[in-house]
Structure formats: C-alpha cells, structure tokens
Amino acid sequence: MKKVYVAMSADIIHHGHLNVLEEARKLGDVIIGLHTDEVISEYFRNPLLTYSEREKVVENIKGVTQVIPQDTLDQVKNLRKLKPDYVVHGDDWKEGLQKNLRQRVIEVLKEWGGELVEVKYTEGVSISKLDDMLLSIGTTPQQRMKRLKEILGMKPLVRVMEAHNGLTGLIVEKSKVEKDGKIREFDAMWISSLCDSTAKGKPDIELVDVTSRLNTINEILEVTTKPIILDGDTGGKIEHFIYTVKTLERLGISAIIIEDKVGLKKNSLFGTDVSQTQDSIEHFCEKIKAGKRARVTNDFMIIARIESLILKAGMDDAIERAKAYVEAGADGIMIHSKEKDGSEILEFCNRFKKLEKRVPLIVVPTSYNHITETELMEYGVNVVIHANHLIRSAYPAMKKTAESILLNERSKEASEEFCMPIKEILTLIPGGK
Ligand code: SPV
Ligand code: MG
C-alpha cells in the first residue's frame, strides 16, 4: 500500500475534512499528522478537545492507519521522516498564511518523488462560523470552570485580561488580532478588586462586599464563555471564605486568588506607603486548606498570592511562603511586585523553578510592563494577568468627553472627536434591533 499523509487539527470535524480523507483513502494507507494543542492554540484558537481526545476521534476514521503528532504548522520534518507517496490537502492553502508552507511541501516531496494531491475546498463550512455558533449557544458553569485547567494543560502561557462589567467582558471575550500569521486572543478574564471597586466609585479596601462582587460576576457570566479568575482580596475570615468558595464554584468561576494579608487591605501597588499587614504562614495555610476542603470538584482552583515583595519582607520569605502554600494545597502561586525593573520578579521565577513541588505561576506585570509575555514565559511563568488596563484606558477617554461638553456647551465636538457613531453603538450588541 502507498503511504498518504494528511495534516489536520480535527478539533471540529466537518464534511469538508471527510472529503479530504475520502480522497486520501483512495490513494493508500492514511497517516494523520495531528496538530498538537500548542499548534492549534498558537495559530487558530484554543482547541475544544485535547490532543488525546482528538487522536481517539481520528484513529477511528475509515482508512486511517496511524496518527502522529504534527508539532509545527510546517510539515517538512514529519514528511522527511515518513517519506509518504502522497500528501493530501484542501486546495484552500494556495493563498494566505499557508501559501509558503504549501511550497515547502512541494519542494520536500521532490526529494523522493512524492506527490501533492489537492482536494477542492468544500464551500459553505467554516470553523470560524461554527465557533460563532458555539459562542451563541453559550456554556455551562461546569464547562466554563474546568476550561482554565484545560487551557493550562494545553498552552505554555495563559493570557488573562481584566473585565469589570458585561461590556468589558465582551471585549475580553471577542478581541482578536492576527500577527505573523498567528491568531492571538485572551484566554480568560480577571475580575480585579481594584477595577470592580473603581467602577463602583469605591476604594479598593474590601469595601465592595462579596454580594456586590457577585453582581459584577453575574453580569460578566451572562454574556461571555471564557473562564474567569476572581481577585478574592484576602478571602476574608476563614469561616466566610469557605462559603465564598462554594458560591464561586457553583457559578462556574475557575479560580480565586487570595492574598496573604490581614486587617484593612489596601491595594498592593501602594506598597509600603500605607500600612498593610501580612498574614502568618500558618494562618494563611489554614485558609488555603479550608478552601480546598470546601470545594466540591477538583476543577476549581485556589491560588495563593504572596505579598512578601510588596511589603519588603524579602525574597527568602517569598520562597518560604511559596513552599508552604503549595504544601497546603494551593493550586497556583501568584507572586506580586511593584518594582519597575522587574528584576525581583525574575529572581523569584528562577528560584521557584527549582522548587521540588511546583504549581502554575501567575504574575501581574503592571509596574514592570516592559517585560513581554513571552519573556515571562521563558522564566517559567504560566499565567500573565493584565489587571487594570480596560478601566485605566476608559476613564481618561470618558473624562475628556465630559470636559469637552462643558467647554463647548454642546456635544458636537466630543461626538466628532471622541465618540463612536450612534449607528455603531446601537448595533454593537447584537439583538437590540
Ligand atoms: C487587582 O487588580 O485588584 C489586584 C492587582 O489585586 S493589584 O492592583 O496590582 O494589586
Ligand atoms: Mg485586588
């Protein structure tokens, strides 16, 4: 039998894919080069199914004799290894991102006289259309909650953005850019105490109580599907925290991050300019353990946030706490710093990497914002949270508009300079017409 190679993602399989596979089967034994989770999340979007789930699907398709990982979009490495007689692909890759990859396949096949067979693209199906349909169906609390752990398993770096109401939730849900042929979007939302409080015109001192925070959470849950990480401040009293955990888990929140401070909490970015007290290791570990006991599923994550660098307690203290919190069952460690150069964060990352017992590492690069996500990832960071940027960009824009109307005694100037057209705001949210 001749060898036929077909590279695919097989995350959502539709009749277009089956047409390609049917043609491939006519030519010989079909070997699938299955895109790894990293390839799919880098070039397309976060896969709905994991590699092993997708592998199970494709190995049961008629004519498929073997499934191997395709860990780059470029097929050349696998092709040189297998030396197939044919490569089969849809003819839609003649243009766009995959044009060069196609050329490389043609070139490499010449080395052993292989042939590229292209199957006419099946009109009327598109993964992005199917994605939109899935989005409009929505999600369930259970599905959404476990998604964060799934994404952590699939991607080396999880990218998180602040949301503080339904509209900002939609921005995080839908914002997408294309760069170097790769699609980039946010993986999850951060409901920040600072932004949630600020949006309500209140200071970030745990004054906005859990019930009010739940209103914000519900507003966001209603219109989005991406996983949510909640900034849980100190988590409050242990006796209260266990109720919060149950409530959040029931709603489908994926994780709560609690910080190791006691007493009147102030925002970390004040550092030592205000008086703030760090919790004892023993007491904070008790809080983590109580939260873990209160959980119903393994999907909900309790993440411990270390304030040692913020409060100038030193690197050794931060590392000692990381070890203790992981031992107590923390599902992740967030290390925070307000130093602008980022060196203490990178030092922490280096030391954290060497710990025997490791959990996902989370950072919030507000002060050291010159360091890129990729650089942080290279230091072992698993989750980057952009914690406050939507509210920080919205406020100056709104203030400018208000001042322009005062100055001009009319809204003409503000409308023309700073506002989106009425037509656009009316149709921004579908279903209003
Ligand atoms: C928040 O976003 O509320 C945080 C991060 O807790 S920070 O403001 O940097 O403390
Ligand atoms: Mg906060």
Short mmCIF file of all heavy atoms in Angstrom, two decimals, residues 246-283:
data_model
loop_
_atom_site.label_atom_id
_atom_site.label_comp_id
_atom_site.label_asym_id
_atom_site.label_seq_id
_atom_site.Cartn_x
_atom_site.Cartn_y
_atom_site.Cartn_z
N LYS A 246 -17.65 27.95 47.79
CA LYS A 246 -18.81 27.16 47.30
C LYS A 246 -19.65 27.96 46.31
O LYS A 246 -20.09 27.46 45.29
CB LYS A 246 -19.68 26.72 48.48
CG LYS A 246 -19.05 25.58 49.28
CD LYS A 246 -20.06 24.99 50.24
CE LYS A 246 -19.42 24.01 51.22
NZ LYS A 246 -18.81 22.85 50.55
N THR A 247 -19.84 29.24 46.64
CA THR A 247 -20.65 30.09 45.75
C THR A 247 -19.99 30.22 44.38
O THR A 247 -20.64 30.08 43.34
CB THR A 247 -20.80 31.50 46.36
OG1 THR A 247 -21.32 31.35 47.66
CG2 THR A 247 -21.71 32.37 45.54
N LEU A 248 -18.68 30.48 44.39
CA LEU A 248 -17.98 30.69 43.12
C LEU A 248 -17.96 29.43 42.29
O LEU A 248 -18.14 29.45 41.07
CB LEU A 248 -16.54 31.16 43.39
CG LEU A 248 -16.41 32.50 44.10
CD1 LEU A 248 -14.95 32.78 44.41
CD2 LEU A 248 -17.01 33.63 43.27
N GLU A 249 -17.75 28.32 42.95
CA GLU A 249 -17.70 27.04 42.25
C GLU A 249 -19.05 26.74 41.61
O GLU A 249 -19.13 26.29 40.46
CB GLU A 249 -17.32 25.95 43.25
CG GLU A 249 -16.93 24.64 42.58
CD GLU A 249 -16.46 23.60 43.58
OE1 GLU A 249 -16.77 23.73 44.78
OE2 GLU A 249 -15.81 22.64 43.14
N ARG A 250 -20.11 27.03 42.34
CA ARG A 250 -21.45 26.78 41.80
C ARG A 250 -21.72 27.64 40.56
O ARG A 250 -22.38 27.22 39.62
CB ARG A 250 -22.47 27.10 42.89
CG ARG A 250 -23.86 26.57 42.63
CD ARG A 250 -24.78 26.79 43.82
NE ARG A 250 -24.93 28.18 44.16
CZ ARG A 250 -24.60 28.72 45.33
NH1 ARG A 250 -24.08 27.97 46.28
NH2 ARG A 250 -24.78 30.01 45.56
N LEU A 251 -21.15 28.85 40.55
CA LEU A 251 -21.37 29.75 39.41
C LEU A 251 -20.51 29.41 38.20
O LEU A 251 -20.75 29.90 37.11
CB LEU A 251 -21.06 31.19 39.84
CG LEU A 251 -22.05 31.84 40.79
CD1 LEU A 251 -21.51 33.19 41.24
CD2 LEU A 251 -23.40 32.01 40.12
N GLY A 252 -19.47 28.61 38.41
CA GLY A 252 -18.60 28.26 37.29
C GLY A 252 -17.38 29.15 37.16
O GLY A 252 -16.76 29.22 36.09
N ILE A 253 -17.01 29.84 38.24
CA ILE A 253 -15.74 30.58 38.25
C ILE A 253 -14.62 29.53 38.32
O ILE A 253 -14.77 28.52 39.00
CB ILE A 253 -15.68 31.52 39.49
CG1 ILE A 253 -16.86 32.48 39.50
CG2 ILE A 253 -14.35 32.26 39.58
CD1 ILE A 253 -16.98 33.35 38.28
N SER A 254 -13.51 29.78 37.62
CA SER A 254 -12.45 28.76 37.56
C SER A 254 -11.48 28.84 38.72
O SER A 254 -10.91 27.82 39.12
CB SER A 254 -11.66 28.90 36.26
OG SER A 254 -12.51 28.78 35.16
N ALA A 255 -11.23 30.05 39.20
CA ALA A 255 -10.20 30.18 40.23
C ALA A 255 -10.44 31.43 41.06
O ALA A 255 -10.95 32.43 40.57
CB ALA A 255 -8.82 30.27 39.58
N ILE A 256 -10.02 31.35 42.33
CA ILE A 256 -9.97 32.56 43.16
C ILE A 256 -8.52 32.73 43.58
O ILE A 256 -7.83 31.76 43.88
CB ILE A 256 -10.91 32.47 44.39
CG1 ILE A 256 -10.89 33.80 45.17
CG2 ILE A 256 -10.55 31.30 45.32
CD1 ILE A 256 -11.98 33.91 46.24
N ILE A 257 -8.06 33.98 43.53
CA ILE A 257 -6.72 34.26 44.03
C ILE A 257 -6.89 35.03 45.34
O ILE A 257 -7.56 36.06 45.38
CB ILE A 257 -5.90 35.09 43.03
CG1 ILE A 257 -5.77 34.33 41.70
CG2 ILE A 257 -4.51 35.41 43.61
CD1 ILE A 257 -4.82 34.95 40.69
N ILE A 258 -6.30 34.50 46.42
CA ILE A 258 -6.36 35.22 47.69
C ILE A 258 -4.96 35.63 48.12
O ILE A 258 -3.99 34.90 47.92
CB ILE A 258 -7.06 34.40 48.81
CG1 ILE A 258 -6.49 32.98 48.91
CG2 ILE A 258 -8.56 34.35 48.57
CD1 ILE A 258 -6.97 32.23 50.15
N GLU A 259 -4.88 36.83 48.70
CA GLU A 259 -3.56 37.35 49.07
C GLU A 259 -3.32 37.21 50.56
O GLU A 259 -4.25 37.27 51.36
CB GLU A 259 -3.41 38.80 48.60
CG GLU A 259 -4.43 39.77 49.14
CD GLU A 259 -4.41 41.10 48.39
OE1 GLU A 259 -3.57 41.94 48.73
OE2 GLU A 259 -5.24 41.29 47.48
N ASP A 260 -2.03 37.03 50.92
CA ASP A 260 -1.70 36.71 52.31
C ASP A 260 -1.55 37.98 53.16
O ASP A 260 -0.49 38.27 53.69
CB ASP A 260 -0.44 35.81 52.39
CG ASP A 260 0.77 36.41 51.69
OD1 ASP A 260 0.66 37.52 51.14
OD2 ASP A 260 1.84 35.76 51.70
N LYS A 261 -2.66 38.74 53.24
CA LYS A 261 -2.67 39.92 54.10
C LYS A 261 -3.82 39.82 55.09
O LYS A 261 -4.80 39.09 54.85
CB LYS A 261 -2.83 41.19 53.23
CG LYS A 261 -1.54 41.47 52.44
CD LYS A 261 -1.39 42.91 51.98
CE LYS A 261 -2.44 43.38 51.03
NZ LYS A 261 -1.87 44.03 49.83
N VAL A 262 -3.72 40.54 56.20
CA VAL A 262 -4.81 40.58 57.18
C VAL A 262 -5.11 42.04 57.54
O VAL A 262 -4.31 42.93 57.26
CB VAL A 262 -4.46 39.81 58.49
CG1 VAL A 262 -4.58 38.30 58.28
CG2 VAL A 262 -3.10 40.19 59.02
N GLY A 263 -6.25 42.25 58.19
CA GLY A 263 -6.62 43.60 58.60
C GLY A 263 -7.15 44.36 57.41
O GLY A 263 -7.59 43.76 56.42
N LEU A 264 -7.09 45.69 57.49
CA LEU A 264 -7.62 46.50 56.40
C LEU A 264 -6.71 46.37 55.19
O LEU A 264 -5.57 46.85 55.19
CB LEU A 264 -7.73 47.96 56.83
CG LEU A 264 -8.30 48.89 55.76
CD1 LEU A 264 -9.71 48.49 55.34
CD2 LEU A 264 -8.25 50.34 56.22
N LYS A 265 -7.23 45.72 54.15
CA LYS A 265 -6.42 45.52 52.94
C LYS A 265 -6.36 46.80 52.14
O LYS A 265 -7.37 47.47 51.94
CB LYS A 265 -7.02 44.39 52.09
CG LYS A 265 -6.15 44.00 50.94
CD LYS A 265 -6.91 43.75 49.66
CE LYS A 265 -7.28 45.07 48.97
NZ LYS A 265 -7.54 44.91 47.52
N LYS A 266 -5.16 47.14 51.70
CA LYS A 266 -5.01 48.27 50.76
C LYS A 266 -4.45 47.68 49.47
O LYS A 266 -3.87 46.60 49.47
CB LYS A 266 -4.02 49.30 51.33
CG LYS A 266 -4.43 49.88 52.68
CD LYS A 266 -5.30 51.11 52.49
CE LYS A 266 -5.86 51.64 53.80
NZ LYS A 266 -4.88 52.28 54.67
N ASN A 267 -4.57 48.44 48.39
CA ASN A 267 -4.05 47.93 47.12
C ASN A 267 -2.55 47.74 47.19
O ASN A 267 -1.82 48.57 47.73
CB ASN A 267 -4.42 48.90 45.99
CG ASN A 267 -4.02 48.33 44.65
OD1 ASN A 267 -2.86 48.43 44.24
ND2 ASN A 267 -4.95 47.69 43.98
N SER A 268 -2.07 46.63 46.62
CA SER A 268 -0.64 46.28 46.70
C SER A 268 0.27 47.33 46.07
O SER A 268 1.42 47.46 46.45
CB SER A 268 -0.41 44.96 45.98
OG SER A 268 -1.16 43.96 46.58
N LEU A 269 -0.26 48.05 45.07
CA LEU A 269 0.60 48.98 44.36
C LEU A 269 0.96 50.20 45.21
O LEU A 269 1.84 50.98 44.85
CB LEU A 269 0.00 49.36 43.01
CG LEU A 269 -0.24 48.13 42.10
CD1 LEU A 269 -0.97 48.52 40.83
CD2 LEU A 269 1.06 47.41 41.76
N PHE A 270 0.31 50.35 46.38
CA PHE A 270 0.75 51.37 47.35
C PHE A 270 2.03 50.90 48.05
O PHE A 270 2.75 51.70 48.65
CB PHE A 270 -0.31 51.61 48.43
CG PHE A 270 -1.49 52.42 47.98
CD1 PHE A 270 -2.78 51.92 48.05
CD2 PHE A 270 -1.30 53.72 47.51
CE1 PHE A 270 -3.87 52.68 47.65
CE2 PHE A 270 -2.40 54.49 47.12
CZ PHE A 270 -3.68 53.97 47.18
N GLY A 271 2.27 49.60 48.02
CA GLY A 271 3.46 49.04 48.67
C GLY A 271 3.51 49.38 50.13
O GLY A 271 2.51 49.24 50.86
N THR A 272 4.67 49.91 50.57
CA THR A 272 4.83 50.24 51.99
C THR A 272 4.46 51.70 52.27
O THR A 272 4.70 52.20 53.36
CB THR A 272 6.28 49.96 52.43
OG1 THR A 272 7.16 50.58 51.49
CG2 THR A 272 6.58 48.47 52.49
N ASP A 273 3.88 52.40 51.28
CA ASP A 273 3.43 53.79 51.52
C ASP A 273 2.25 53.83 52.47
O ASP A 273 1.93 54.88 53.03
CB ASP A 273 2.99 54.47 50.20
CG ASP A 273 4.14 54.62 49.24
OD1 ASP A 273 5.30 54.41 49.68
OD2 ASP A 273 3.89 54.92 48.06
N VAL A 274 1.56 52.70 52.59
CA VAL A 274 0.42 52.63 53.53
C VAL A 274 0.71 51.46 54.47
O VAL A 274 1.56 50.62 54.18
CB VAL A 274 -0.91 52.35 52.78
CG1 VAL A 274 -1.30 53.52 51.91
CG2 VAL A 274 -0.83 51.07 51.96
N SER A 275 0.01 51.45 55.60
CA SER A 275 0.32 50.33 56.49
C SER A 275 -0.53 49.12 56.10
O SER A 275 -1.75 49.22 55.92
CB SER A 275 0.14 50.76 57.96
OG SER A 275 -1.10 50.35 58.44
N GLN A 276 0.13 48.01 55.89
CA GLN A 276 -0.53 46.77 55.48
C GLN A 276 0.16 45.64 56.24
O GLN A 276 1.37 45.66 56.42
CB GLN A 276 -0.35 46.50 53.99
CG GLN A 276 -0.78 47.62 53.09
CD GLN A 276 -1.17 47.11 51.71
OE1 GLN A 276 -2.03 46.27 51.56
NE2 GLN A 276 -0.53 47.63 50.69
N THR A 277 -0.59 44.65 56.65
CA THR A 277 -0.01 43.56 57.45
C THR A 277 -0.11 42.24 56.72
O THR A 277 -1.19 41.89 56.21
CB THR A 277 -0.76 43.44 58.80
OG1 THR A 277 -0.94 44.76 59.32
CG2 THR A 277 -0.01 42.58 59.80
N GLN A 278 1.01 41.53 56.70
CA GLN A 278 1.00 40.22 56.05
C GLN A 278 0.49 39.16 57.05
O GLN A 278 0.77 39.25 58.25
CB GLN A 278 2.42 39.86 55.57
CG GLN A 278 2.42 38.82 54.46
CD GLN A 278 3.76 38.69 53.77
OE1 GLN A 278 4.77 39.22 54.25
NE2 GLN A 278 3.80 38.00 52.65
N ASP A 279 -0.22 38.20 56.53
CA ASP A 279 -0.74 37.12 57.36
C ASP A 279 0.43 36.23 57.79
O ASP A 279 1.49 36.21 57.14
CB ASP A 279 -1.75 36.31 56.53
CG ASP A 279 -2.70 35.49 57.39
OD1 ASP A 279 -2.50 35.43 58.62
OD2 ASP A 279 -3.65 34.91 56.81
N SER A 280 0.24 35.44 58.85
CA SER A 280 1.27 34.46 59.20
C SER A 280 1.14 33.30 58.21
O SER A 280 0.06 33.05 57.66
CB SER A 280 1.05 33.95 60.62
OG SER A 280 -0.11 33.14 60.66
N ILE A 281 2.26 32.60 58.03
CA ILE A 281 2.25 31.46 57.10
C ILE A 281 1.22 30.43 57.60
O ILE A 281 0.42 29.91 56.81
CB ILE A 281 3.66 30.83 56.99
CG1 ILE A 281 4.62 31.83 56.34
CG2 ILE A 281 3.62 29.51 56.22
CD1 ILE A 281 6.02 31.33 56.10
N GLU A 282 1.23 30.18 58.89
CA GLU A 282 0.35 29.14 59.47
C GLU A 282 -1.12 29.47 59.20
O GLU A 282 -1.89 28.64 58.73
CB GLU A 282 0.55 29.01 61.00
CG GLU A 282 1.94 28.54 61.41
CD GLU A 282 3.03 29.58 61.14
OE1 GLU A 282 2.74 30.79 61.19
OE2 GLU A 282 4.18 29.16 60.85
N HIS A 283 -1.50 30.73 59.48
CA HIS A 283 -2.91 31.09 59.34
C HIS A 283 -3.34 31.05 57.87
O HIS A 283 -4.42 30.56 57.54
CB HIS A 283 -3.17 32.48 59.95
CG HIS A 283 -4.62 32.85 59.90
ND1 HIS A 283 -5.12 33.76 58.99
CD2 HIS A 283 -5.68 32.43 60.64
CE1 HIS A 283 -6.43 33.87 59.18
NE2 HIS A 283 -6.79 33.09 60.17
#
